[in-house]
Amino acid sequence: MAARHDQTTDPQLLDSLLQARRGTAFFARKLNELSDSDLDGPSLLPGWTRRHVTAHIGYNARAIARLIEWAATGVETPMYASTEIRDHEINFGATLPPIALRHLFDHSAVHLNVEWRDLPEEAWHHLVKTAQGRTVPAEETVWMRTREVWTHAVDLDNGATFADIPVPVLARLLKDITSAWATRGTDTGLQVLVTDQQPELKLGDAGADAPVLISGPLAGVLRWATGRGTDGVTASQSGAALGAVPAAPKWI
Ligand code: ZN
């Protein structure tokens, strides 16, 4: 019989798993607060209804479960066969009856959790490939899922905000985003200042002469950095406030 507790004993990984599970529970709560007809309403993501967001989170769990099966068996199973198939799957999922859509979310989350729970300690280091083609150890899937469930709970647009997301998740996500900008060189002349953390956190183009400085609390900066609005952040250059906050560079 399968064990009822995590096979890994790595405290850091167990902590990450807790963050992913809490995020899943948070998404479930926001989803369950929505009536069936609310699901037809728009999400914060352009062109996507709440149905699309829910379908995406469900299929994302299945895709990540495939990576865990890969790590467990050594048999290569990609997250998605192709980007087209991924998008098609989400569009199809969005048309499911509400009960089926809710089951998709619930069952896929339980399945992924079982895959994680039963993955032997040493298999967490086995290498798998993300949808973007990055080769990562299986333990990275926990973070991949964590950022999906927390940010897309906000996208359901029924009350969740970035301020609901735990600080360690926000901080890691901001690091992900700013390093994606740095890798692509899209952050030239741009700096980000997080004002509500001790010590203050400054990221972005460190060598810029007169950088555009975006500042605000961590939650506001994340909201801006993920392209979800400019509330709670201000922009300045050489000490002078800018009238409008520029859009953040793309990161995904
Ligand atoms: Zn997503």
Side-chain angles (χ1 to χ4, degrees):
M1 202 174 83
R4 294 294 164 92
H5 56 84
D6 289 298
Q7 294 300 290
T8 180
T9 56
D10 176 344
Q12 213 179 336
L13 182 52
L14 288 169
D15 202 54
S16 305
L17 284 163
L18 185 63
Q19 220 63 281
R21 287 166 179 148
R22 283 192 180 142
T24 305
F26 184 69
F27 187 95
R29 178 147 64 85
K30 299 317 289 179
L31 176 60
N32 292 337
E33 285 169 8
L34 293 166
S35 70
D36 287 351
S37 60
D38 288 341
L39 292 176
D40 301 334
S43 75
L44 293 185
L45 296 175
W48 273 17
T49 65
R50 291 168 171 144
R51 291 171 153 276
H52 289 88
V53 173
T54 307
H56 166 49
I57 283 294
Y59 292 125
N60 171 262
R62 287 194 184 166
I64 290 178
R66 284 193 278 276
L67 295 187
I68 299 305
E69 285 155 21
W70 176 356
T73 63
V75 178
E76 180 165 348
T77 41
M79 287 184 76
Y80 304 103
S82 70
T83 311
E84 292 69 34
I85 288 174
R86 170 192 173 273
D87 295 348
H88 178 79
E89 192 175 50
I90 293 167
N91 288 328
F92 164 75
T95 68
L96 290 171
I99 183 105
L101 194 57
R102 293 176 192 276
H103 280 163
L104 169 64
F105 166 75
D106 291 337
H107 293 173
S108 62
V110 168
H111 176 220
L112 173 59
N113 199 42
V114 168
E115 292 288 341
W116 274 340
R117 197 189 60 192
D118 294 343
L119 191 65
E121 182 105 55
E122 85 287 350
W124 283 99
H125 306 298
H126 293 176
L127 297 178
V128 294
K129 212 184 284 173
T130 71
Q132 288 78 35
R134 275 191 315 134
T135 298
V136 297
E139 56 197 349
E140 178 80 7
T141 62
V142 180
W143 171 242
M144 288 158 59
R145 179 66 174 170
T146 299
R147 67 184 200 191
E148 287 297 300
V149 284
W150 283 109
T151 56
H152 288 315
V154 175
D155 291 330
L156 287 175
D157 196 20
N158 64 324
T161 70
F162 278 88
D164 291 314
I165 303 177
V167 166
V169 174
L170 290 176
R172 183 162 176 191
L173 185 55
L174 186 59
K175 253 179 81 187
D176 272 17
I177 294 173
T178 51
S179 26
W181 293 342
T183 304
R184 292 171 201 174
T186 51
D187 64 349
T188 306
L190 185 68
Q191 286 181 5
V192 172
L193 179 68
V194 176
T195 53
D196 63 344
Q197 302 297 304
Q198 288 300 331
E200 276 190 344
L201 193 61
K202 197 180 229 183
L203 296 151
D205 184 5
D209 269 342
V212 170
L213 183 68
I214 308 294
S215 53
L218 186 57
V221 166
L222 252 295
R223 181 172 187 226
W224 167 81
T226 60
R228 287 167 174 87
T230 59
D231 279 8
V233 295
T234 57
S236 63
Q237 192 165 25
S238 308
L242 296 178
V245 177
K250 282 184 70 135
W251 70 284
I252 235 167

